[in-house]
Amino acid sequence: MCGIGKFKVLWGLEASAACPRCGDFEDHLHVPRCRAASATAERGRCTAAFSAWLDLQLTGPSIKTAILQLLQGVHTPTLSPLRTISSSVRPAYLAQQVIGSQGLLEGRIASSWLPLQQQHYDKIRCQRSVSLWASRLSQQLILIGFYMLEQRNSIQHLDDNVQLRERHSTINEGIHSQFDMGPDDLPKEIQPMLTSRRRVLCKSLVDKEEWLKLLCQERKDFCRSMKAQHRSLGTIFSPGP
Ligand SMILES: [Zn+2]
């Protein structure tokens, strides 16, 4: 958050604290609240992906509604009517409001969500770990904050170096697809490289390129060796002439 307008002016790096997307005064909370069309589009993309993720994790419907409303409250602080929040999750919702918008995008979630999600898992007879759900939820919220900042930075540097931005974007897409493919087609010793998407995305461009090159090569080699194994097994077990 330190590369934003307000801090750059304080450090004498910039003459203006204007947001590069909309021109308004930019402090840390402006980044997720910016009303520029590009920021709104990125927010829409992040929210839709997050909503799908909450479903995938079998999040309780009233918990999902409350968390999405809290996220909406980061962008539009005046729009957070309590009446739409189920009474059973209101204490957790209010505890999360106390932690605040910035805390939410830093992945600090109220502990009161956990027993509520546990109740939901019990109700649907799901054996999943509620601690894991909470830790993944926290990571997802951090990612949303990260993507909003990344989108803002991409606009900032648009005029500076279009080529560099394209390189970043291509590499980031490659990194996302590696994480989406998962660790199954990789040797065991390489699998830990897919532990944290955020950590990889935060690396320098050169490091990200090295990371991606290695992963692509390892995946290719692993597939080739698996095919060779299958072929040799086929030869051993195939009926003779
Ligand atoms: Zn703005």
Side-chain angles (χ1 to χ4, degrees):
M1 282 291 162
C2 295
I4 58 171
K6 177 182 156 185
F7 293 101
K8 285 192 164 178
V9 170
L10 284 173
W11 297 338
L13 296 172
E14 298 275 356
S16 159
C19 166
R21 296 175 291 187
C22 70
D24 281 357
F25 173 76
E26 184 186 51
D27 59 8
H28 64 292
L29 275 178
H30 179 81
V31 175
R33 285 179 182 167
C34 180
R35 293 185 179 280
S38 62
T40 307
E42 179 65 5
R43 257 199 312 273
R45 190 192 71 77
C46 287
T47 307
F50 180 55
S51 171
W53 181 87
L54 287 168
D55 287 338
L56 207 65
Q57 299 299 317
L58 306 177
T59 306
S62 48
I63 300 173
K64 178 186 169 186
T65 304
I67 292 176
L68 284 177
Q69 187 160 311
L70 282 157
L71 191 61
Q72 175 70 20
V74 175
H75 313 142
T76 324
T78 47
L79 281 180
S80 46
L82 201 55
R83 65 177 182 281
T84 55
I85 302 302
S86 154
S87 57
S88 61
V89 302
R90 268 184 207 175
Y93 179 87
L94 293 171
Q96 193 64 54
Q97 274 192 325
V98 171
I99 293 172
S101 297
Q102 186 58 30
L104 186 71
L105 294 182
E106 285 170 358
R108 286 192 280 133
I109 58 169
S111 57
S112 23
W113 294 114
L114 277 79
L116 295 170
Q117 179 61 25
Q118 186 63 63
Q119 276 171 25
H120 178 68
Y121 277 162
D122 292 344
K123 190 176 151 195
I124 61 170
R125 297 175 190 276
C126 172
Q127 300 287 315
R128 291 191 190 185
S129 155
V130 78
S131 310
L132 199 59
W133 170 85
S135 118
R136 285 176 175 163
L137 172 64
S138 167
Q139 281 179 23
Q140 287 294 313
L141 290 162
I142 292 171
L143 270 178
I144 294 175
F146 170 78
Y147 286 139
M148 292 310 297
L149 186 62
E150 189 187 51
Q151 193 271 338
R152 176 258 181 225
N153 287 342
S154 72
I155 300 289
Q156 164 97 72
H157 301 302
L158 192 60
D159 295 332
D160 300 344
N161 196 334
V162 175
Q163 273 187 339
L164 193 66
R165 186 172 165 261
E166 281 174 0
R167 245 171 92 194
H168 263 292
S169 164
T170 309
I171 290 293
N172 287 351
E173 273 176 33
I175 291 170
H176 283 305
S177 68
Q178 286 294 332
F179 273 91
D180 292 345
M181 280 187 274
D184 292 345
D185 293 336
L186 285 168
K188 284 241 169 338
E189 63 275 16
I190 297 294
Q191 291 183 358
M193 287 180 72
L194 285 177
T195 306
S196 166
R197 191 183 297 233
R198 181 173 180 259
R199 203 174 302 148
V200 177
L201 288 167
C202 287
K203 286 175 186 280
S204 71
L205 182 59
V206 176
D207 286 346
K208 285 198 284 193
E209 283 172 336
E210 285 295 315
W211 182 96
L212 188 59
K213 205 166 123 192
L214 179 67
L215 261 278
C216 290
Q217 191 57 49
E218 289 288 347
R219 210 178 276 279
K220 211 192 284 175
D221 291 349
F222 188 73
C223 286
R224 203 175 291 151
S225 76
M226 291 307 284
K227 272 184 194 158
Q229 272 185 31
H230 283 140
R231 262 200 306 274
S232 63
L233 282 174
T235 314
I236 293 167
F237 293 113
S238 64

